Amino acid sequence: QKFRNFPKYPLNIFCYKEIKMQTEDQRGPQVFACEQIQAMKHRLPNESFLEAKAREAASMSDSEEHRKAYREIIVDQRFLAAGRVQSAMGSPKHVTAYNCFVSQTIFDSMSSIMDAVAAAAETMRRGGGIGYDFSRIRPRGDRVVSLDSSASGPVSFMHVFDAVCRTIMSAGLRRGAMMAVMRIDHPDIEEFIRCKKNDDVLTNFNISVAVTNKFMEAVKANEDFELKFDKRSYGLINARNLWEEIMRNNWDWAEPGVIFIDRINADNNLGYEEYIAATNPCGEQPLPPNGACLLGSINLTRYVIRREGRHEFDTALFVADIPHIIRAMDNVIDRTIYPLEDQEEEAKEKRRMGIGITGLANTLEAMGMRYSSIEGREFARDIIRTLRDEAYRASVVLAKEKGAFPLFSRGYMHGEFIARLPGDIQDGIMEHGIRNSHLISIAPTGTISFAADNVSSGIEPPFALEYDRTVQTEAGPKIVKIQDYAWREWGVRGEVVDDLSPRDHLLMQAAMQPYVDSAISKTINVSDDTTFHEFMGIYVAGWEQKLKGVTTFRAAGKRYGILNKTEGTRVPDTEDGAACFIDPKTGSRECE
C-alpha cells in the first residue's frame, strides 16, 4: 500500500549496505574540492567526516536504535541536513541550527523599525539570514504630524538594515543574508523595484515584490490598479505598465523577484492562525513574523542502484528512511538555540520544518529519463508526493507519541493543502493531530549538494558536465576541474541548462508544487535568444500554474554581463554578503 505511488518503477528491497559495499573510510565526499568544502562549512576544526556525523546523530536522536539508523543515513549521505544543522548540532559553538528567519512585523514607527534592526543584528550574529516585509512603513513624502516633517519611506530604512548586515559577521565565514519584500499595492512600489538598478547599493539584499491575484487580473485586463496605504488611496496606476517595469528591471538587473502572496496564504496549513507577508532569503520558506526555517534535503542519487544491467530507484529504502529523518529534525526544534525568544516561541508553537530533495536531475539521467520529458516530470512528481505522504505519516506518529504542535486545532483540517492529502493521513490527523505544521520545502542546496560530491542541486539540472571552481586550501586558492556527479560516477551525459527551455523549467516546478506545503526555490534559466515578451510570459505562466514564486536567471543581463567580463568569476567560498548568489559562470546558486 505504501508503494502505490510508484506503479511504473521497479522496487528493490535488498539490503542497501550489501549493494553499496562501502567501508567506513570510503564514506563521505570522495572528490577533493567537495571534501574541502564539507570540512570548512560543516565540520569543527580537525573533525573528520565520520566524527562529524557521529556528533550530528548523537545530538538529534531519540534512542540508541534511532541514533544508529540516522547515523547510517547521514554517513551514507542519503540525507543532507542544511549546513547550519550539520555545523551547529552537538557543537560547542553557541550558534543556531536554523538557516534563516523572517523578521518581526515592522510597524510604521521609529521604535518598531529600530527594534527590528536590533533583532536583525542579533539574528545575523548567531548565523541566521532574514526576510523582511517593508509594506507597513508609510510612503516617502507622507506627513509625520508629530515631527512636522515628511516621511523618508521604506526604501530609506532598507539602507539601515543593509549597513547592519554589512558589518556583522555571522557564524562561520558567511555574512548575513537578507530578503526585502514589498506589496505590489504600496505607494512606493516604483521606488522599491528600481532600488537595485546598480551593482553597489543594497548589495546584501535580495528583493521581491509580493504580487496579488487582483493585480495579475488587472495586468491581464490592462486595467488601472489602486495604490494604497493604511486604508488611504494614493491614486491609480496602469497595472500592465507597472508589471512591465518590474519585468524590465528583472530582465536587466535580475531583480526584483516575484512572489505570489495570495497563493502562498491560500495554501498555508496555518491560514487560520497567521498571515504570511515575506519569505526567507532564498524564497523556499514563506514564513510569518519571527518564523524560522529548519531545512534538509534527501539525496536521491544515493537511492540509485544497479541491477541486471540497469539503474533502478530503491523506493523501499527511500520510504524507510523518511520517519528517521523527520524524527531527527523534529528534535532539532527543542535542542538548538535561538537568537531571540520570539523566534523560539514561534518555532516551538508550530514546529515547522522543510524537508526536500536534491540530486533529482542526476537521478533522472541515471534511470534513462530526460529532465525535459513528461516521464521525467512524472517521476519527480511521484518522488515528491511519496516524500510528502511519508513525512506527514511520520509526523502523525510523532504526534501520537509526543503530542501535536501546540497551536494545532481542527481548523488545520480546512486548509487547501491538507485537503489534497490521502484519506488515511487526514484520518490520522483528525485522531492524533500532527507534530509539525509544515514538512516539505525544496531549497536550492548549492553548498550541501556540492559537498556531497557535486550532485545536481535541488531540482535543478546540471549547469555543465564539467567546469572550473576555485577552492580555498591551506596553501591558498586552487582552481580545480569539477565534474557533474552523474557524468563522473555513471558516465551518463544528461541534459544541462543549455539544452532546456524556460518552459521545461517551469513545467518541472509546476509538477511538484502541489505536493510542497511551503515553497520551491527554483531558477528558470533564460537563454540569450529569449525575447522580452517571452520572458514576461514566464511569470504570467507561473501565476497561472499556481506557483508560489518565480525566479529567473539571464546571464546576458546587465548585472551578470558586468560580472562575466572577469574570466573565471566565482562566488567566494565565504559567501560574503550573498543571500542566494547566482554564479555568473556556472548558473548555480550558492545557498544552503
Side-chain angles (χ1 to χ4, degrees):
Q1 178 69 9
K2 281 190 174 183
F3 307 139
R4 63 188 178 280
N5 293 335
F6 283 83
K8 299 181 182 178
Y9 312 109
L11 301 179
N12 170 61
I13 56 174
F14 292 98
C15 175
Y16 188 88
K17 289 181 72 176
E18 290 179 0
I19 294 170
K20 288 295 180 182
M21 296 295 291
Q22 284 186 313
T23 62
E24 285 282 273
D25 61 358
Q26 291 174 312
R27 301 296 187 94
Q30 300 299 301
V31 176
F32 168 76
C34 303
E35 158 66 20
Q36 292 291 302
I37 291 295
Q38 214 279 335
M40 181 174 70
K41 297 283 187 179
H42 307 144
R43 298 184 342 223
L44 302 178
N46 302 314
E47 185 179 49
S48 71
F49 174 80
L50 290 177
E51 289 169 341
K53 296 303 105 176
R55 165 177 57 78
E56 186 181 336
S59 65
M60 296 169 64
S61 58
D62 268 347
S63 64
E64 181 62 12
E65 179 184 7
H66 181 222
R67 184 193 67 80
K68 289 180 178 178
Y70 184 66
R71 179 186 179 277
E72 171 60 23
I73 291 169
I74 59 177
V75 164
D76 197 39
Q77 299 184 95
R78 303 201 296 270
F79 177 65
L80 309 171
R84 289 281 187 257
V85 178
Q86 293 187 48
S87 62
M89 293 307 295
S91 166
K93 295 189 293 185
H94 200 60
V95 294
T96 180
Y98 280 84
N99 279 53
C100 42
F101 302 82
V102 160
S103 169
Q104 64 203 66
T105 300
I106 305 175
F107 293 103
D108 184 39
S109 71
M110 187 61 69
S111 61
S112 178
I113 295 169
M114 291 300 106
D115 283 348
V117 169
E122 181 62 18
T123 300
M124 287 185 280
R125 188 174 75 86
R126 299 288 186 183
I130 314 168
Y132 311 86
D133 172 36
F134 288 100
S135 305
R136 291 175 178 264
I137 300 176
R138 75 182 69 186
R140 180 185 293 275
D142 255 24
R143 186 170 178 76
V144 183
V145 176
S146 62
L147 298 177
D148 192 25
S149 64
S150 297
S152 58
V155 173
S156 68
F157 288 106
M158 287 171 56
H159 290 272
V160 178
F161 287 87
D162 188 68
V164 170
C165 184
R166 192 165 54 248
T167 55
I168 295 182
M169 180 70 75
S170 65
L173 297 175
R174 192 169 74 169
R175 291 187 186 273
M178 302 191 296
M179 167 73 84
V181 177
M182 181 178 285
R183 282 181 61 91
I184 188 67
D185 54 9
H186 192 283
D188 281 1
I189 190 62
E190 291 176 285
E191 181 183 4
F192 179 78
I193 65 179
R194 297 167 186 162
C195 71
K196 290 199 68 179
K197 293 177 66 173
N198 54 70
D199 285 302
D200 56 1
V201 176
L202 298 174
T203 55
N204 296 294
F205 270 113
N206 289 336
I207 66 171
S208 287
V209 178
V211 171
T212 62
N213 289 339
K214 184 177 181 180
F215 175 77
M216 292 304 296
E217 289 160 0
V219 170
K220 294 192 74 173
N222 195 20
E223 295 176 345
D224 287 343
F225 181 74
E226 184 181 26
L227 301 181
K228 55 189 177 182
F229 179 80
D230 197 22
K231 300 181 180 179
R232 175 186 166 192
S233 176
Y234 283 71
L236 300 175
I237 190 169
N238 181 268
R240 190 168 290 180
N241 289 344
L242 180 58
W243 178 247
E244 183 168 337
E245 183 169 10
I246 293 170
M247 293 293 99
R248 182 63 67 181
N249 278 276
N250 198 304
W251 171 266
D252 286 337
W253 295 98
E255 293 190 88
V258 170
I259 61 174
F260 298 116
I261 199 68
D262 289 342
R263 186 62 200 161
I264 284 172
N265 282 287
D267 213 41
N268 181 14
N269 288 352
L270 290 175
Y272 62 93
E273 179 67 37
E274 64 188 22
Y275 181 80
I276 291 176
T279 74
N280 73 320
C282 290
E284 74 275 9
Q285 281 269 304
L287 293 165
N290 294 307
C293 50
L294 179 63
L295 303 173
S297 300
I298 297 179
N299 180 4
L300 299 181
T301 66
R302 303 303 291 174
Y303 298 88
V304 175
I305 58 173
R306 191 163 184 85
R307 286 189 64 211
E308 301 177 355
R310 64 173 182 167
H311 288 119
E312 299 177 0
F313 189 80
D314 194 340
T315 311
L317 185 65
F318 179 69
V319 168
D321 282 349
I322 292 170
H324 297 300
I325 292 167
I326 299 301
R327 181 178 290 271
M329 293 293 280
D330 182 69
N331 285 332
V332 173
I333 298 168
D334 299 312
R335 298 177 187 178
T336 190
I337 67 163
Y338 295 82
L340 304 170
E341 290 183 6
D342 288 344
Q343 294 163 348
E344 180 174 8
E345 181 180 359
E346 170 70 24
K348 291 182 177 178
E349 283 186 341
K350 300 170 184 175
R351 308 192 70 83
R352 264 183 170 90
M353 69 174 73
I355 306 303
I357 58 174
T358 193
L360 171 66
N362 287 164
T363 301
L364 292 174
E365 294 156 12
M367 297 177 65
M369 289 177 276
R370 291 182 296 115
Y371 187 93
S372 61
S373 68
I374 294 175
E375 184 185 23
R377 291 193 291 272
E378 288 179 346
F379 179 83
R381 179 200 63 204
D382 289 344
I383 285 283
I384 199 66
R385 179 172 59 194
T386 297
L387 172 57
R388 176 202 67 177
D389 292 352
E390 297 309 319
Y392 270 77
R393 288 190 179 105
S395 190
V396 170
V397 169
L398 284 177
K400 185 178 179 181
E401 176 186 334
K402 298 182 176 184
F405 68 90
L407 290 184
F408 174 79
S409 75
R410 295 303 176 189
Y412 189 83
M413 300 305 301
H414 301 315
E416 290 186 16
F417 187 86
I418 300 302
R420 298 196 295 269
L421 293 173
D424 68 295
I425 300 177
Q426 294 188 46
D427 292 343
I429 296 173
M430 283 290 292
E431 183 176 358
H432 304 293
I434 192 165
R435 182 69 170 166
N436 313 97
S437 68
H438 297 70
L439 287 147
I440 310 298
S441 181
I442 298 180
T445 73
T447 303
I448 60 173
S449 296
F450 182 80
D453 284 334
N454 196 36
V455 302
S456 57
S457 61
I459 63 169
E460 306 287 3
F463 181 79
L465 296 180
E466 61 181 26
Y467 60 92
D468 292 337
R469 177 175 178 127
T470 302
V471 178
Q472 301 297 331
T473 70
E474 292 182 0
K478 179 179 180 181
I479 297 177
V480 296
K481 189 170 291 295
I482 300 297
Q483 292 182 318
D484 171 60
Y485 183 88
W487 173 239
R488 185 184 68 249
E489 294 293 321
W490 301 317
V492 175
R493 183 184 289 273
E495 289 180 313
V496 297
V497 164
D498 287 344
D499 300 321
L500 301 170
S501 69
R503 182 175 180 272
D504 295 327
H505 290 276
L506 191 71
L507 289 176
M508 180 61 80
Q509 185 174 347
M512 305 181 81
Q513 184 64 81
Y515 308 99
V516 176
D517 55 22
S518 288
I520 298 172
S521 182
K522 169 84 181 79
T523 301
I524 297 174
N525 294 81
V526 180
S527 61
D528 292 355
D529 58 1
T530 302
T531 68
F532 179 64
H533 179 75
E534 291 169 336
F535 177 80
M536 289 197 297
I538 296 169
Y539 286 82
V540 174
W543 174 66
E544 293 174 339
Q545 293 274 1
K546 297 185 177 181
L547 301 184
K548 296 179 181 179
V550 174
T551 299
T552 55
F553 170 75
R554 196 177 76 90
K558 291 181 180 179
R559 178 164 292 151
Y560 296 113
I562 291 170
L563 290 172
N564 274 320
K565 290 178 182 177
T566 303
E567 185 66 26
T569 298
R570 278 263 340 142
V571 57
D573 286 327
T574 57
E575 299 178 33
D576 186 15
C580 244
F581 190 98
I582 300 180
D583 180 354
K585 186 174 181 181
T586 69
S588 64
R589 291 210 280 177
E590 293 291 325
C591 305
E592 293 182 330

